[in-house]
């Protein structure tokens, strides 16, 4: 629970956090965020273009023109699914770095711990991460 008396505003919250935990903890988790969001963005745009063409080719020229919006929607949904899968491991590592003291020093030792605990296929013990 957040203490509303201690944290009166966002700016005071930043100041208190920096004073109590330092700049190092303030920026904890930025590498997995950067890599995860980069992978997610690349997958979104790249696979959207791929699936848009793929589904249009399956539909054929007449139906592709007639159902253009649905084809684009299907391409977008398919790309988002893959993009979210690309983001997931980095997001789990980031959250554990920020919320579980002692989990890891950073991505280089956090990602192997995530994979060892159930990893990508086993969702890395998501239930364990929730508490």
């Amino acid at each position: 629970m957040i203490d509303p008396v201690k944290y009166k505003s966002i700016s005071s919250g930043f100041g208190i956090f920096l004073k109590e935990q330092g700049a190092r903890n303030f920026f904890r988790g930025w590498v997995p965020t950067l890599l995860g969001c980069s992978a997610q963005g690349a997958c979104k745009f790249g696979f959207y273009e791929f699936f848009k063409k793929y589904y249009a080719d399956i539909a054929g020229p007449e139906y592709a023109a007639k159902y253009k919006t649905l084809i684009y929607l299907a391409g977008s949904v398919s790309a988002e699914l893959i993009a979210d899968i690309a983001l997931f491991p980095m997001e789990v590592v980031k959250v554990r770095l920020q919320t579980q003291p002692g989990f890891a020093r950073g991505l280089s030792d956090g990602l192997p711990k995530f994979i060892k605990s159930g990893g990508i296929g086993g969702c890395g013990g998501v239930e364990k991460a929730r508490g």
Side-chain angles (χ1 to χ4, degrees), residues 6-130:
K6 183 177 182 180
Y7 301 105
K8 295 177 176 29
S9 68
I10 290 175
S11 58
S12 75
F14 280 127
I16 292 167
F17 184 90
L18 284 168
K19 193 180 293 182
E20 289 179 357
Q21 298 197 28
R24 182 179 180 145
N25 281 334
F26 184 76
F27 291 105
R28 180 174 223 87
W30 73 269
V31 173
T33 299
L34 176 69
L35 295 176
C37 289
S38 297
Q40 183 187 37
C43 288
K44 273 185 191 180
F45 293 110
F47 282 110
Y48 171 69
E49 293 300 323
F50 169 80
F51 283 117
K52 190 169 65 169
K53 181 179 179 340
Y54 180 75
Y55 294 145
D57 289 347
I58 289 173
E62 182 183 336
Y63 287 114
K66 185 175 180 181
Y67 298 108
K68 184 178 182 178
T69 302
L70 289 176
I71 286 172
Y72 287 6
L73 177 64
S76 177
V77 168
S78 300
E80 183 65 36
L81 176 68
I82 293 171
D84 288 345
I85 291 168
L87 171 66
F88 176 76
M90 296 300 164
E91 191 66 17
V92 171
V93 171
K94 178 199 78 156
V95 169
R96 288 186 181 180
L97 283 171
Q98 293 174 339
T99 61
Q100 294 179 354
F103 168 70
R105 290 183 316 276
L107 179 64
S108 62
D109 60 332
L111 189 58
K113 280 185 180 181
F114 161 70
I115 291 169
K116 224 184 249 184
S117 71
I120 315 269
C123 296
V126 173
E127 291 303 316
K128 291 182 213 167
R130 289 185 185 154

